[in-house]
């Protein structure tokens, strides 16, 4: 028989229930049972009574888990040495699961489990047993505690806390490098047999990785695993109990392992030489092209720095590393000129910025490439001899004087002639002009430094063969000062002299200003135009002067104002001078020289009218005007116009009477239907009171249908007036309220009547009814009076 068969039989034997029938004497604990003793006691008859020793008798209780039988599982038997087998004792069970999970036979003391028990849920149960007398219900033994321990069987497979693990290890790691540790757990009892002893093994992932059987640590099994060849690996680990022996239960988990990158690959250019082209007109900073070295690594291990290490264009070009694309951008460093040089050669190097010393042997971690740059010829604009020009000129030069010349040339080999012009936006007043052929700038209007000291011009140079290709240059013209302005008083002076002034008294200090700006600074001289008997000027020699009196006492009644001409001159060449006149008023002053009143008020005093009198006069005038206005308003209200001015003056008068209709009995007084005029077609007539500017042909409007609403009628008339420019009164409100068909009385107006006043006969008014009796009396009576006269 082989070892495997023996182990299999042993395993089957462990799965079968094995109740133990060995009876043993239960020893009570001191606190649960009184001590047994032997002794004597005297009875009623004086005889000695001997107490016999009692005790529990039962089996050792062990129970296998996961019982699969159809009957209750037998646990063990309780037995007391007081039990004679006559059924006088009753066994009682209490504690964990008593009555539900565990039941006891009251007569025999046999204990059974009612269902299958899982040790992983609970490993042992604590119960209490007691034997009582059935007749007296008194305990024959004290209650004692015992334990039912559940024996484990291998019914749980090892499990991992994660179904899938994720781990990483650097590429090129040595054999045995730890990757990750996986740990499985088994719910079986580790202290009983090998049910919880786990052994790890690898099912998938060889020969790249291995696992330690006892610890579950996964390690690399191959040297120099390269991420660039393979980056992802999937490893399946098995955990098996029973020490990995046959028949043990197992569980698996998956570990996804990623090889992380290290800098083990140098950068490499895909080619050794590249050719780039750029026009010569490209400004500084223009990107010509790019170079890129490839690196099989990723992240910072693939970062590359580019630089120009050699060549004949190291001072003409730069290279900048673009971090996001890992490219080297070549840019223009200095202006290019096709006529000077047409081809440049550069040697560009790309080098890793993060090199791992462990992999120096795989280097060098850099590479080079030759870059050839060809400069292409373009039709360049003219080039000025300077970047800007500064010309200085005096403001008194004659018209047409040349103030300076700008020069430009065509940098191309063709050397086309240049045409010059001024940008008139920089010379709106057209003070300057330029010779289109030689670039000479001359004046076309007089210059004045006091108006504008600087003129900022812009000169345009264009090739005659290609006028669209232009270049601009700034030209600054500074106007130099010439002494062409005479000095003047700095401010307007309000000067007065007191009547009680004494000779030599200061009455005013004056100063002057000059628009010119001489190099040595301003210097003014003050003097009188002629000898004055009343005042004199004293020059302070600091561009100011003092006005002094020459006599005592002045009278404002004799002369109220003096005019003093003062000559102001400068010291520049040619000397400029002007005469300013001071107006000096004579005023009354107090003893301290403070002005009290001057000649203007003195002239008002003799009239004898004070300010209060003037106010009173104005107030009276206002009151009289108010009275006149009120009187005119009252008189207008009292005045009434007569109904008829005279019998002879009968025209189209307005007649007012109080006959307003039949009241409530007159149901025909107003009908909305009368506002409609189905048959009326009015011809447009011109106004007689004004002459229209233009005559328009009258237009006939279509008649409204019989069921036309009032609103449609009015809207139609309003639209006609809006579209007719000759319709009066041009800017007023036209109101339409048509009241029915034509009356049999026709029009009452005499304006359109072709007959004279004498031909009118109003007798027919009496035939129209009582409503027209008033009109018949007025007009009929007037007619008869006229006839009698």
């Amino acid at each position: 028989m082989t070892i495997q068969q023996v182990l299999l039989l042993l395993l089957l034997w462990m799965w079968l229930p094995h109740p133990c029938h060995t009876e043993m004497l239960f020893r009570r604990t001191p606190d649960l049972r009184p001590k047994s003793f032997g002794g004597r006691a005297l009875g009623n008859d004086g005889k000695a009574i001997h107490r016999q020793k009692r005790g529990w008798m039962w089996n050792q209780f062990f129970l296998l888990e996961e019982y699969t039988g159809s009957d209750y599982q037998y646990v063990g038997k309780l037995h007391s040495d007081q039990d004679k087998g006559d059924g006088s004792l009753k066994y009682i069970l209490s504690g964990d699961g008593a009555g539900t999970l565990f039941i006891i036979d009251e007569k025999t003391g046999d204990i059974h489990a009612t269902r299958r028990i899982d040790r992983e849920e609970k490993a042992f149960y604590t119960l209490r047993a007691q034997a009582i007398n059935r007749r007296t219900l008194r305990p024959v033994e004290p209650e004692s505690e015992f334990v039912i321990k559940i024996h484990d069987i291998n019914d749980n497979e090892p499990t991992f806390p994660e179904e899938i693990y994720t781990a990483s290890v650097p590429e090129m790691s040595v054999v045995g490098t730890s990757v990750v540790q996986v740990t499985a757990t088994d719910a079986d009892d580790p202290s009983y047999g090998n049910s919880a002893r786990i052994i790890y093994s690898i099912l998938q992932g060889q020969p790249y990785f291995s696992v330690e059987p006892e610890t579950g640590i996964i390690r690399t099994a191959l040297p120099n695993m390269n991420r660039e060849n393979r980056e992802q690996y999937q490893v399946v680990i098995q955990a098996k109990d029973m020490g990995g022996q046959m028949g043990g239960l197992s569980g698996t988990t998956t570990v996804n392992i990623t090889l992380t990158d290290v800098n083990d690959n140098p950068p490499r250019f895909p080619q050794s030489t590249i050719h780039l082209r750029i026009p010569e007109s490209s400004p500084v900073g223009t990107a010509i092209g790019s170079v890129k070295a490839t690196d099989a690594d990723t992240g910072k291990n693939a970062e590359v720095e580019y630089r120009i290490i050699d060549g004949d264009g190291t001072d003409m070009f730069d290279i900048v590393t673009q971090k996001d694309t890992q490219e080297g951008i070549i840019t223009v460093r200095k202006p290019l000129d096709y006529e000077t040089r047409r081809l440049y050669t550069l040697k560009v190097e790309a080098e890793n910025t993060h090199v791992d010393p462990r992999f120096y042997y795989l280097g060098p971690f850099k590479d080079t490439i030759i870059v050839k740059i060809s400069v292409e010829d373009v039709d360049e604009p003219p080039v000025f001899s300077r970047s800007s020009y500064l010309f200085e000129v005096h403001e008194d030069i004659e018209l047409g004087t040349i103030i300076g010349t700008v020069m430009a040339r065509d940098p191309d080999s063709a050397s086309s002639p240049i045409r010059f012009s001024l940008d008139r936006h920089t010379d709106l007043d057209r003070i300057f002009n330029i010779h289109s052929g030689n670039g000479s700038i001359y004046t076309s209007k007089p210059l004045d430094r006091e108006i504008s000291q600087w003129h900022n011009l812009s000169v345009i140079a264009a090739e005659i063969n290609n006028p669209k290709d232009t270049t601009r240059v700034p030209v600054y013209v500074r106007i130099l000062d010439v002494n062409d302005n005479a000095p003047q008083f700095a401010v307007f002076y309000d000067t007065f002299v007191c009547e009680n002034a004494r000779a030599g008294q200061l009455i005013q200090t004056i100063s002057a200003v000059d628009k010119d700006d001489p190099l040595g600074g301003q210097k003014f001289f003050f003097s009188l135009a002629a000898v004055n008997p009343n005042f004199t000027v004293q020059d302070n020699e600091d561009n100011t002067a003092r006005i002094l009196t020459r006599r005592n006492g002045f009278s404002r009644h004799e002369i109220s104002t003096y005019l003093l001409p003062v000559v102001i001159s400068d010291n520049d060449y040619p000397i400029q001078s002007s005469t300013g006149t001071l107006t000096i008023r004579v005023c009354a002053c107090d003893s301290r020289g403070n002005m009290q009143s001057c000649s203007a008020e003195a002239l008002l005093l003799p009239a004898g009218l004070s300010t209060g009198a003037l106010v009173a006069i104005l107030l009276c005038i206002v009151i009289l005007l108010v009275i006149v206005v009120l009187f005119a308003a009252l008189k207008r209200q009292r005045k009434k116009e007569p109904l008829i001015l005279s019998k002879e003056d009968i025209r189209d008068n307005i007649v007012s009477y109080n006959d307003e209709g039949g009241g409530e009995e007159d149901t025909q007084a107003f009908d909305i239907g009368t506002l409609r005029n189905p048959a009326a077609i009015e011809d447009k007539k011109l106004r007689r009171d004004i002459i229209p500017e233009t005559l328009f042909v009258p237009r006939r409007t279509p008649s409204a249908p019989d069921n036309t609403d009032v609103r449609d009628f009015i809207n139609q008339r309003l639209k006609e007036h809006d579209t007719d420019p000759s319709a009066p009164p041009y800017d007023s409100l036209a109101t339409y309220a048509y009241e029915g068909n034509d009356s049999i009385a026709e029009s009452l107006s005499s304006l359109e009547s072709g007959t004279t006043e004498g031909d009118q006969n109003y007798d027919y008014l009496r035939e129209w009814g009582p409503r027209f009796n008033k009109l018949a009396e007025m007009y009929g009576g007037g007619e008869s009076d006229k006839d009698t006269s």
Side-chain angles (χ1 to χ4, degrees):
M1 183 177 294
T2 62
I3 298 176
Q4 289 80 359
Q5 291 176 345
V6 172
L7 293 176
L8 181 59
L9 292 177
L10 179 62
L11 180 62
L12 292 176
W13 178 82
M14 292 176 63
W15 275 83
L16 295 177
H18 301 284
C20 181
H21 300 282
T22 305
E23 294 184 353
M24 61 178 296
L25 177 65
F26 175 74
R27 296 183 180 180
R28 305 176 186 86
T29 56
D31 56 342
L32 296 178
R33 173 178 178 168
K35 296 181 179 180
S36 300
F37 63 93
R40 298 198 224 177
L42 296 177
N44 293 331
D45 53 359
K47 293 181 179 181
I49 300 175
H50 297 274
R51 182 180 183 276
Q52 295 182 356
K53 189 184 257 186
R54 296 186 300 272
W56 284 98
M57 298 293 294
W58 55 6
N59 295 329
Q60 180 122 12
F61 297 143
F62 294 94
L63 187 64
L64 286 176
E65 65 171 336
E66 304 295 342
Y67 174 71
T68 58
S70 58
D71 297 333
Y72 288 164
Q73 185 179 5
Y74 181 73
V75 178
K77 182 180 181 63
L78 295 179
H79 182 71
S80 176
D81 56 2
Q82 297 296 322
D83 188 1
K84 305 301 183 181
D86 55 359
S88 61
L89 295 182
K90 178 181 180 182
Y91 296 97
I92 299 175
L93 188 65
S94 62
D96 294 341
T100 56
L101 179 57
F102 300 103
I103 58 175
I104 189 171
D105 191 330
E106 295 179 352
K107 294 181 180 180
T108 63
D110 292 331
I111 301 174
H112 290 82
T114 60
R115 62 178 175 84
R116 186 171 58 180
I117 299 175
D118 189 359
R119 189 202 66 83
E120 284 70 36
E121 293 181 1
K122 194 167 184 179
F124 61 89
Y125 295 85
T126 302
L127 294 98
R128 293 179 297 277
Q130 191 175 31
I132 63 174
N133 189 290
R134 287 183 180 274
R135 291 191 300 273
T136 63
L137 300 180
R138 292 181 178 179
V140 297
E141 292 289 344
E143 186 179 55
S144 298
E145 185 178 87
F146 65 96
V147 174
I148 299 177
K149 185 176 181 181
I150 309 302
H151 272 179
D152 182 45
I153 63 172
N154 189 18
D155 59 342
N156 292 280
E157 70 276 2
T159 58
F160 290 92
E162 301 289 341
E163 293 183 2
I164 297 177
Y165 289 85
T166 301
S168 62
V169 64
E171 63 173 332
M172 308 298 290
S173 297
V174 298
V175 176
T177 301
S178 175
V179 180
V180 69
Q181 181 179 13
V182 294
T183 303
T185 58
D186 196 322
D188 293 328
D189 187 2
S191 62
Y192 182 76
N194 293 326
S195 299
R197 184 187 174 192
I198 300 174
I199 297 297
Y200 299 94
S201 62
I202 185 168
L203 302 182
Q204 177 182 330
Q206 294 174 333
Y208 307 103
F209 299 94
S210 62
V211 62
E212 293 183 358
E214 300 291 338
T215 62
I217 297 177
I218 301 175
R219 300 182 182 275
T220 58
L222 284 181
N224 300 328
M225 287 191 292
N226 198 338
R227 184 198 64 85
E228 288 72 32
N229 296 333
R230 182 177 177 181
E231 185 176 4
Q232 300 288 338
Y233 294 87
Q234 190 176 72
V235 178
V236 178
I237 301 298
Q238 181 190 61
K240 191 174 183 181
D241 58 12
M242 297 298 295
Q245 299 176 3
M246 184 179 297
L249 304 179
S250 64
T252 61
T253 187
T254 301
V255 183
N256 293 326
I257 301 176
T258 303
L259 294 183
T260 59
D261 185 54
V262 297
N263 192 4
D264 59 339
N265 293 280
R268 290 289 179 264
F269 285 105
Q271 53 194 13
S272 60
T273 304
I274 62 170
H275 199 165
L276 302 177
R277 298 179 181 273
I278 183 172
E280 63 173 333
S281 60
S282 300
V284 174
T286 302
I288 304 173
S290 63
V291 294
K292 184 175 182 179
T294 59
D295 194 323
D297 297 321
T298 60
K300 69 176 184 179
N301 296 321
E303 292 182 1
V304 178
E305 186 73 25
Y306 298 90
R307 59 178 175 269
I308 300 174
I309 60 174
D310 197 5
D312 53 12
T314 55
D315 59 335
M316 300 295 296
F317 303 95
D318 279 332
I319 189 168
V320 179
T321 302
Q322 197 78 18
K323 295 298 183 181
D324 53 347
T325 61
Q326 288 298 303
E327 292 180 332
I329 309 299
I330 301 175
T331 59
V332 178
R333 185 177 182 181
K334 292 183 179 180
L336 303 175
D337 188 5
Y338 173 82
E339 288 71 25
T340 303
R341 186 160 192 170
R342 305 181 181 183
L343 180 64
Y344 295 90
T345 302
L346 304 177
K347 186 176 183 180
V348 178
E349 181 184 73
E351 183 178 12
N352 280 137
T353 56
H354 300 87
V355 181
D356 194 335
R358 296 177 299 171
F359 305 104
Y360 278 154
Y361 66 94
L362 298 176
F365 286 85
K366 56 185 176 181
D367 197 11
T368 59
I369 187 173
I370 301 299
V371 180
K372 294 184 178 181
I373 301 175
S374 297
V375 180
E376 298 179 343
D377 186 25
V378 296
D379 190 6
E380 298 177 84
V383 177
F384 284 94
S385 60
R386 302 179 188 175
S387 59
S388 63
Y389 292 86
L390 173 62
F391 300 136
E392 294 183 346
V393 60
H394 287 89
E395 60 179 327
D396 60 345
I397 63 172
E398 296 180 358
L399 295 181
T401 302
I402 296 176
I403 65 173
T405 302
V406 297
M407 293 183 292
R409 64 177 181 85
D410 183 10
D412 296 324
S413 57
S415 187
S416 299
I418 306 300
R419 181 179 181 274
F420 298 94
S421 63
L422 275 177
D423 185 356
R424 288 303 175 184
H425 292 90
T426 61
D427 185 27
L428 296 177
D429 296 331
R430 295 182 177 269
I431 299 175
F432 301 95
N433 212 335
I434 189 170
H435 193 282
S436 61
N438 58 20
S440 298
I441 302 174
Y442 58 90
T443 59
S444 58
K445 287 184 179 181
L447 303 177
D448 191 350
R449 189 201 67 86
E450 287 69 37
I451 296 177
S452 179
Q453 186 177 358
W454 286 91
H455 295 273
N456 300 325
L457 307 178
S458 180
V459 176
I460 304 173
E463 297 179 9
I464 295 179
N465 298 332
N466 187 10
K468 295 183 179 180
D469 206 355
T470 62
T471 304
R472 294 172 178 263
V473 67
V475 177
Y476 307 104
V477 181
R478 180 182 180 184
I479 309 302
L480 301 179
D481 184 41
V482 174
N483 192 24
D484 57 349
N485 291 277
Q488 299 175 351
F489 281 132
V491 295
F492 173 77
Y493 295 101
D494 185 13
T495 308
F496 70 93
V497 62
C498 295
E499 289 181 313
N500 57 358
R502 296 181 180 181
Q505 183 175 340
L506 174 64
I507 62 173
Q508 184 69 59
T509 300
I510 60 175
S511 62
V513 292
D514 193 339
K515 294 181 180 179
D516 294 323
D517 186 16
L519 297 177
Q522 302 283 0
K523 180 64 177 177
F524 304 122
F525 302 96
F526 300 88
S527 62
L528 292 178
V531 178
N532 191 291
N534 301 309
F535 305 97
T536 183
V537 174
Q538 183 178 355
D539 196 335
N540 296 328
E541 297 183 357
D542 60 353
N543 293 338
T544 63
R546 297 187 297 169
I547 308 298
L548 305 175
T549 59
R550 296 189 66 178
R551 65 183 177 87
N552 296 327
F554 293 86
S555 176
R556 55 181 169 164
H557 298 291
E558 295 177 1
I559 300 177
S560 61
T561 304
Y562 293 92
L563 298 179
L564 181 64
V566 179
V567 178
I568 310 172
S569 59
D570 57 23
N571 68 338
D572 204 357
Y573 180 82
I575 296 176
Q576 300 287 341
S577 63
S578 66
T579 300
T581 302
L582 283 177
T583 301
I584 304 174
R585 295 181 299 160
V586 180
C587 300
C589 303
D590 57 12
S591 59
R592 296 182 179 180
N594 297 323
M595 182 181 65
Q596 291 182 339
S597 61
C598 291
S599 57
E601 183 178 357
L603 294 175
L604 294 176
L605 292 177
L609 293 178
S610 63
T611 304
L614 291 176
V615 173
I617 292 173
L618 292 176
L619 184 60
C620 292
I621 293 174
V622 172
I623 294 174
L624 289 176
L625 290 176
V626 172
I627 294 174
V628 171
V629 173
L630 291 176
F631 179 77
L634 292 174
K635 186 177 180 180
R636 188 174 182 180
Q637 288 184 353
R638 293 176 181 176
K639 185 177 180 180
K640 293 184 178 180
E641 295 292 338
L643 182 62
I644 301 177
L645 297 177
S646 65
K647 295 181 179 180
E648 290 78 15
D649 189 14
I650 299 177
R651 298 181 180 86
D652 280 353
N653 297 319
I654 299 176
V655 180
S656 300
Y657 58 95
N658 295 327
D659 187 5
E660 297 179 354
E664 294 180 357
E665 297 178 359
D666 187 3
T667 59
Q668 302 298 325
F670 179 78
D671 184 11
I672 191 66
T674 61
L675 291 178
R676 302 186 179 92
N677 184 15
I681 304 176
E682 298 180 1
D683 294 336
K684 292 188 176 292
K685 299 179 181 180
L686 300 177
R687 291 181 60 175
R688 297 181 179 182
D689 55 341
I690 62 172
I691 299 176
E693 296 180 359
T694 57
L695 296 177
F696 293 85
V697 179
R699 296 184 292 109
R700 285 186 173 271
T701 58
S703 60
D706 294 343
N707 59 350
T708 303
D709 189 69
V710 176
R711 179 184 301 172
D712 298 334
F713 174 80
I714 294 175
N715 290 336
Q716 181 180 358
R717 288 292 186 266
L718 181 61
K719 183 177 181 181
E720 292 174 4
H721 273 268
D722 290 340
T723 56
D724 189 359
S726 64
Y730 306 109
D731 192 14
S732 63
L733 178 65
T735 304
Y736 296 94
Y738 189 77
E739 297 184 356
N741 295 329
D742 295 339
S743 173
I744 59 176
E746 298 180 349
S747 175
L748 297 180
S749 175
S750 62
L751 295 178
E752 298 179 1
S753 176
T755 60
T756 62
E757 183 177 355
D759 296 335
Q760 295 291 336
N761 185 6
Y762 301 101
D763 293 337
Y764 60 89
L765 295 175
R766 301 182 184 275
E767 301 175 0
W768 289 356
R771 298 183 180 178
F772 297 89
N773 288 339
K774 186 68 174 177
L775 289 176
E777 292 176 2
M778 293 174 58
Y779 288 89
E783 193 69 27
S784 60
D785 294 340
K786 184 178 180 180
D787 295 337
T788 56
S789 61

mmCIF file of all heavy atoms in Angstrom, residues 173-184:
data_model
loop_
_atom_site.group_PDB
_atom_site.id
_atom_site.type_symbol
_atom_site.label_atom_id
_atom_site.label_comp_id
_atom_site.label_asym_id
_atom_site.label_seq_id
_atom_site.Cartn_x
_atom_site.Cartn_y
_atom_site.Cartn_z
ATOM 1 N N SER A 173 15.827 44.392 -14.209
ATOM 2 C CA SER A 173 16.113 44.017 -12.829
ATOM 3 C C SER A 173 16.838 42.670 -12.793
ATOM 4 O O SER A 173 16.656 41.803 -13.667
ATOM 5 C CB SER A 173 14.820 43.935 -12.013
ATOM 6 O OG SER A 173 14.193 45.202 -11.945
ATOM 7 N N VAL A 174 17.615 42.465 -11.728
ATOM 8 C CA VAL A 174 18.352 41.202 -11.573
ATOM 9 C C VAL A 174 17.393 40.113 -11.143
ATOM 10 O O VAL A 174 16.286 40.368 -10.649
ATOM 11 C CB VAL A 174 19.489 41.377 -10.539
ATOM 12 C CG1 VAL A 174 20.480 42.411 -11.021
ATOM 13 C CG2 VAL A 174 18.916 41.772 -9.179
ATOM 14 N N VAL A 175 17.825 38.859 -11.283
ATOM 15 C CA VAL A 175 17.004 37.708 -10.900
ATOM 16 C C VAL A 175 16.786 37.735 -9.384
ATOM 17 O O VAL A 175 17.717 37.977 -8.616
ATOM 18 C CB VAL A 175 17.669 36.390 -11.341
ATOM 19 C CG1 VAL A 175 16.869 35.191 -10.848
ATOM 20 C CG2 VAL A 175 17.810 36.355 -12.856
ATOM 21 N N GLY A 176 15.557 37.464 -8.974
ATOM 22 C CA GLY A 176 15.220 37.416 -7.559
ATOM 23 C C GLY A 176 14.723 38.744 -7.006
ATOM 24 O O GLY A 176 14.458 38.843 -5.804
ATOM 25 N N THR A 177 14.571 39.738 -7.867
ATOM 26 C CA THR A 177 14.041 41.019 -7.390
ATOM 27 C C THR A 177 12.586 40.843 -6.967
ATOM 28 O O THR A 177 11.765 40.263 -7.695
ATOM 29 C CB THR A 177 14.130 42.086 -8.490
ATOM 30 O OG1 THR A 177 15.503 42.242 -8.879
ATOM 31 C CG2 THR A 177 13.580 43.406 -8.008
ATOM 32 N N SER A 178 12.290 41.281 -5.737
ATOM 33 C CA SER A 178 10.931 41.126 -5.213
ATOM 34 C C SER A 178 9.964 42.024 -5.979
ATOM 35 O O SER A 178 10.237 43.211 -6.206
ATOM 36 C CB SER A 178 10.909 41.472 -3.726
ATOM 37 O OG SER A 178 9.586 41.434 -3.227
ATOM 38 N N VAL A 179 8.831 41.450 -6.349
ATOM 39 C CA VAL A 179 7.806 42.190 -7.089
ATOM 40 C C VAL A 179 6.658 42.555 -6.158
ATOM 41 O O VAL A 179 6.346 43.738 -5.965
ATOM 42 C CB VAL A 179 7.296 41.376 -8.296
ATOM 43 C CG1 VAL A 179 6.232 42.157 -9.059
ATOM 44 C CG2 VAL A 179 8.453 41.007 -9.210
ATOM 45 N N VAL A 180 6.016 41.544 -5.562
ATOM 46 C CA VAL A 180 4.886 41.781 -4.679
ATOM 47 C C VAL A 180 4.653 40.499 -3.881
ATOM 48 O O VAL A 180 5.062 39.409 -4.296
ATOM 49 C CB VAL A 180 3.622 42.175 -5.495
ATOM 50 C CG1 VAL A 180 3.111 41.002 -6.312
ATOM 51 C CG2 VAL A 180 2.520 42.709 -4.563
ATOM 52 N N GLN A 181 4.000 40.622 -2.738
ATOM 53 C CA GLN A 181 3.655 39.467 -1.919
ATOM 54 C C GLN A 181 2.140 39.327 -1.885
ATOM 55 O O GLN A 181 1.421 40.296 -1.632
ATOM 56 C CB GLN A 181 4.194 39.608 -0.496
ATOM 57 C CG GLN A 181 3.885 38.398 0.396
ATOM 58 C CD GLN A 181 4.459 38.544 1.800
ATOM 59 O OE1 GLN A 181 4.879 39.633 2.180
ATOM 60 N NE2 GLN A 181 4.507 37.454 2.557
ATOM 61 N N VAL A 182 1.672 38.098 -2.135
ATOM 62 C CA VAL A 182 0.245 37.787 -2.048
ATOM 63 C C VAL A 182 0.046 36.829 -0.873
ATOM 64 O O VAL A 182 0.875 35.944 -0.631
ATOM 65 C CB VAL A 182 -0.288 37.192 -3.359
ATOM 66 C CG1 VAL A 182 -0.231 38.227 -4.471
ATOM 67 C CG2 VAL A 182 0.496 35.947 -3.768
ATOM 68 N N THR A 183 -1.032 37.010 -0.151
ATOM 69 C CA THR A 183 -1.303 36.190 1.043
ATOM 70 C C THR A 183 -2.735 35.700 0.981
ATOM 71 O O THR A 183 -3.670 36.500 0.793
ATOM 72 C CB THR A 183 -1.081 37.006 2.318
ATOM 73 O OG1 THR A 183 0.252 37.521 2.319
ATOM 74 C CG2 THR A 183 -1.299 36.144 3.553
ATOM 75 N N ALA A 184 -2.900 34.371 1.160
ATOM 76 C CA ALA A 184 -4.229 33.759 1.198
ATOM 77 C C ALA A 184 -4.548 33.342 2.634
ATOM 78 O O ALA A 184 -3.647 33.094 3.448
ATOM 79 C CB ALA A 184 -4.295 32.552 0.266
#
